[in-house]
Amino acid sequence: MPMALSRYHPALTEEGLRTNPESHYFERKGRDTKPGKIANELIGMLNAGGGTLVYGIADDGVVEDLQEGSLLPDTPLDLDRYRKLVHEFIVPPANIELEEIYLPCGALIFLYHVEQDYERLFARSDNEAVYLRVAADNKGPLNREEVKKLEYNRNVRAYEDELREDFHSDDFDSATCESYRKSMRYTGSFEELALKRRLAERKGDQIVFKNAAILLFASDPSQYIANAYVRYVRYNGTELKPGSQFNVVKDESFEDNIPNLIKRLEAFVNASLRDYYYLNMENGRFERVPEYPKDAWLEGIVNALCHRSYNLQGNTIYIKHFDDRLEISNSGPLPAQVTIENIREQRYARNPQLARVLADMQYVRELNEGVPRIFNAMRESMLAQPAYKDEAGIVTLTLRNKVSDHKETIFSETLERVESRWENLHTSQRQIIQLLFERQEMAVAEFEELMPLSRQTIRLNLKHLIELGIVERLSEKKRDPNALYRFLNK
C-alpha cells in the first residue's frame, strides 16, 4: 500500500499528488509559481468547498524540489514568502494549514490544506479581488454581480454546515461510516475523521454533528431533515391524467443516507427501465439498447442528491417515469453562476461538504464531468439532447427515449431467424425487415410508397419472408389489398 504523506489528509500519497487529475478540490503548482498566484488559487478554494494545493509539483506531475531554488536564472526562491502568503495576501484570516513534506526521494514540497468556510467571503488584501474555484479552474477576479450571487449562495450552502445538537450518533448507519473511514484510509475512529473533515465540532466533551453528516451517514436522515428522501413515480402514458383517468401505476419512496440511496436507486431504476432493439443493417443483428443510457440517468440522480437545496424542506427529489421520458427534479434554483445556457460548462457545488465526501467515496466524479457526461451519453445512444429547466425554484432534467418507436415485442425466435438468414437475404428483403422494425405493421401499399419496387415484387419478397418464418400476414382473405404484415409473433 502506498505510504500516506499527510497528517491532515491520510489518503494523499506521492503517486496521487503526481498523477491524480486536478479537480474542484485539488491543484498542483510548479516551483516558479509566484506567491500571489498561489494566494489567488487558495482564495478560490476558500470561496468554494475547500481543498488541497500542492506547491512543488508541476502540472505534468514532475516533482520540483523546493530546496533547489528557482528554475529562473538570478531569481532566488524565498520560501518564507510562501510560508507567510496566507497572512499577507488573504482577508479575512483564513483557516489554511501548511504542511512541509519531504518525499521519500528527499524533495521538499508544500501542501496547503484549505478548510471550507460558509460564513465569510474571502478576497485579496491588496486589491480586494475575489476568486472562486469552479471545477478544476480558478475563476476571477469576479465582477460585482458575480460577487453578489456568491454571497447569496453562501447563505444557502450554510445549511449543510449547521450543527444538530438533537442528533445522536446511535442513529448513524455503521456500515456507511466504516465504508467512508476505509475509503479515506483513516486508522482512527469515524468520529475523529468527522471532526477532521469538518462534519462535526467538539463542544465541551461532546461531539456535535452537522446536517451534512446526517444526510451522508444517518440510517434515516428524514427523521431530522424533512423530505430528505427520493420519490419514484411511474405513469402509464406520456402525461399525468386526473380523476378517473389517473394513470400512476407505481409510486415508491426511498429513505436512506445519500450513499445508500445512490446504490438502491441504481438497482431499482435499472430494473424499471425497458430495452429496445436497434437493427444493425451491416450484419443483420438486433442489438439491445437500453431505454436510457445508465451514465445519463444515474448521473442525473446523483447530481440531484448532491446539489439539492436541503434547506427548502417542502420539496423532495422526484423521478417521474413516463413512456417517452424520464424527469429528475430537485429543489433549486440553480446556484451562483450556473444558468440553463451555461450548465454544460459552468460548475458550482451548492453543498460542497456533500460533494467532497461523495467524491472521496467515489460516488461523485469530478464536478466538471457530471453534466457533460449526461449530454455525451445521450448523444452516443442517438437520443435527444437532455433538457434542463429552472421554474418556480425547481430544477428538472428531462431525458427522452425512443422506446415509443418500438412498442411491439419481437419474439426471440424471430430475431434469431433474421440474424441466421441475413447473409442470404437480398437488399429488398433486408429493407422490408428494417421498415417493419421501425413501423411494426405495414400494408403492401405502404411498402410501395417507400421502396423503388413494383407491388408484385414486394408481394414476392413478403411471401419469401413468410416462408422463412420471419413475417406473418394479418388477414384471412386471400386477396386483401389492405392486409397488414408484421414480424411473426408466435
Side-chain angles (χ1 to χ4, degrees):
M1 179 180 292
M3 183 180 70
L5 298 174
S6 170
R7 68 180 185 275
Y8 293 102
H9 197 333
L12 292 178
T13 63
E14 179 182 353
E15 181 182 2
L17 292 175
R18 290 191 297 102
T19 62
N20 286 346
E22 293 181 331
S23 70
H24 192 70
Y25 305 107
F26 179 64
E27 176 72 20
R28 276 186 291 268
K29 288 299 176 187
R31 187 167 58 200
D32 286 316
T33 306
K34 295 184 182 299
K37 173 65 174 174
I38 289 181
N40 295 345
E41 297 285 346
L42 296 176
I43 290 169
M45 286 184 170
L46 284 164
N47 288 328
T52 299
L53 185 147
V54 53
Y55 170 52
I57 299 182
D59 288 344
D60 59 4
V62 174
V63 176
E64 297 177 352
D65 187 0
L66 299 182
Q67 301 171 101
E68 295 182 2
S70 175
L71 293 173
L72 300 175
D74 303 320
T75 307
L77 185 63
D78 184 357
L79 289 183
D80 280 341
R81 293 196 65 200
Y82 294 86
R83 294 184 177 104
K84 299 175 182 177
L85 67 83
V86 173
H87 304 287
E88 292 182 353
F89 286 96
I90 302 174
V91 290
N95 188 3
I96 299 177
E97 297 290 344
L98 171 61
E99 273 190 302
E100 300 187 22
I101 303 291
Y102 288 91
L103 299 177
C105 65
L108 172 66
I109 63 172
F110 285 3
L111 294 181
Y112 296 89
H113 299 283
V114 182
E115 294 294 344
Q116 66 208 37
D117 189 310
Y118 292 99
E119 298 179 354
R120 300 176 294 172
L121 190 71
F122 294 86
R124 284 281 294 254
S125 59
D126 51 353
N127 57 19
E128 300 183 349
V130 176
Y131 296 86
L132 176 67
R133 190 160 184 85
V134 179
D137 299 312
N138 202 39
K139 180 180 175 63
L142 303 183
N143 61 40
R144 183 175 298 180
E145 186 62 27
E146 289 172 329
V147 171
K148 186 176 179 181
K149 288 182 178 179
L150 179 59
E151 290 173 334
Y152 167 79
N153 279 282
R154 289 180 72 77
N155 290 332
V156 173
R157 291 162 67 186
Y159 180 76
E160 68 166 359
D161 203 44
E162 288 182 6
L163 293 169
R164 295 296 299 266
E165 297 190 18
D166 59 333
F167 178 79
H168 196 279
S169 59
D170 288 345
D171 290 336
F172 276 135
D173 174 21
S174 59
T176 306
C177 296
E178 180 65 10
S179 176
Y180 179 51
R181 193 184 65 82
K182 288 183 177 179
S183 70
M184 295 298 293
R185 298 168 55 197
Y186 189 72
T187 56
S189 68
F190 170 77
E191 288 77 9
E192 293 170 344
L193 177 58
L195 289 168
K196 282 184 173 291
R197 301 300 277 176
R198 296 179 63 83
L199 294 165
E201 290 183 9
R202 193 179 295 278
K203 285 196 168 186
D205 60 351
Q206 300 292 320
I207 295 177
V208 182
F209 291 90
K210 299 180 180 181
N211 278 327
I214 295 173
L215 289 165
L216 288 162
F217 301 109
S219 297
D220 184 7
S222 61
Q223 288 186 356
Y224 299 91
I225 301 172
N227 296 316
Y229 63 92
V230 179
R231 186 174 174 185
Y232 169 92
V233 185
R234 180 68 171 96
Y235 300 89
N236 182 20
T238 60
E239 300 295 337
L240 170 62
K241 296 181 180 179
S244 62
Q245 294 181 309
F246 189 61
N247 58 332
V248 172
V249 295
K250 184 179 289 188
D251 188 340
E252 297 202 23
S253 294
F254 295 82
E255 298 181 5
D256 217 323
N257 59 61
I258 293 177
N260 284 344
L261 278 175
I262 292 172
K263 291 185 287 188
R264 291 175 59 193
L265 288 167
E266 178 181 4
F268 178 84
V269 175
N270 196 54
S272 301
L273 297 179
R274 299 164 293 173
D275 291 330
Y276 69 95
Y277 290 95
Y278 166 75
L279 177 58
N280 188 324
M281 291 298 292
E282 293 183 3
N283 58 25
R285 301 193 68 82
F286 289 90
E287 299 177 359
R288 189 183 297 270
V289 181
E291 185 174 356
Y292 306 94
K294 187 174 183 179
D295 272 355
W297 59 261
L298 183 56
E299 195 72 35
I301 291 171
V302 171
N303 283 353
L305 287 164
C306 188
H307 301 301
R308 176 192 163 185
S309 293
Y310 285 95
N311 60 311
L312 303 177
Q313 296 182 16
N315 300 311
T316 188
I317 294 172
Y318 269 95
I319 303 172
K320 297 181 180 180
H321 189 183
F322 297 89
D323 285 356
D324 63 343
R325 68 192 184 279
L326 198 66
E327 295 181 356
I328 303 168
S329 62
N330 65 290
S331 55
L334 289 171
Q337 291 80 19
V338 182
T339 65
I340 295 298
E341 291 71 29
N342 69 12
I343 196 168
R344 294 179 67 173
E345 297 82 25
Q346 194 71 268
R347 299 290 170 269
Y348 183 86
R350 171 174 277 125
N351 303 302
Q353 275 280 42
L354 300 185
R356 193 170 188 181
V357 171
L358 291 173
D360 290 338
M361 299 179 76
Q362 299 184 348
Y363 288 107
V364 170
R365 302 176 212 184
E366 297 308 332
L367 288 176
N368 59 322
E369 295 180 3
V371 175
R373 183 180 294 111
I374 295 173
F375 278 80
N376 292 339
M378 294 293 283
R379 185 184 66 251
E380 290 169 1
S381 296
M382 296 179 290
L383 295 174
Q385 180 171 286
Y388 280 90
K389 66 179 180 180
D390 183 359
E391 296 179 353
I394 302 295
V395 177
T396 302
L397 165 66
T398 299
L399 306 176
R400 294 192 176 275
N401 65 38
K402 289 184 177 179
V403 176
S404 58
D405 296 334
H406 303 275
K407 291 180 180 177
E408 295 296 325
T409 300
I410 303 173
F411 277 43
S412 58
E413 292 84 354
T414 303
L415 296 181
E416 292 171 2
R417 292 190 194 102
V418 172
E419 293 175 353
S420 64
R421 293 166 170 77
W422 188 260
E423 292 297 326
N424 297 322
L425 299 176
H426 57 65
T427 303
S428 298
Q429 292 162 351
R430 293 180 180 183
Q431 190 176 0
I432 288 174
I433 291 173
Q434 182 183 24
L435 289 170
L436 284 177
F437 179 68
E438 294 173 354
R439 302 190 176 205
Q440 288 84 56
E441 295 179 353
M442 293 179 66
V444 172
E446 293 175 287
F447 285 111
E448 192 176 12
E449 291 178 1
L450 299 171
M451 300 177 66
L453 300 175
S454 67
R455 182 168 299 196
Q456 183 60 28
T457 302
I458 292 171
R459 291 186 187 279
L460 289 173
N461 284 315
L462 286 167
K463 181 181 178 182
H464 181 66
L465 293 173
I466 291 172
E467 292 171 351
L468 293 176
I470 294 174
V471 172
E472 65 178 339
R473 182 175 180 272
L474 302 179
S475 178
E476 296 180 358
K477 301 177 182 177
K478 287 188 176 182
R479 299 182 180 276
D480 183 356
N482 298 317
L484 295 175
Y485 295 82
R486 70 177 185 187
F487 285 113
L488 181 64
N489 279 351
K490 60 183 178 181

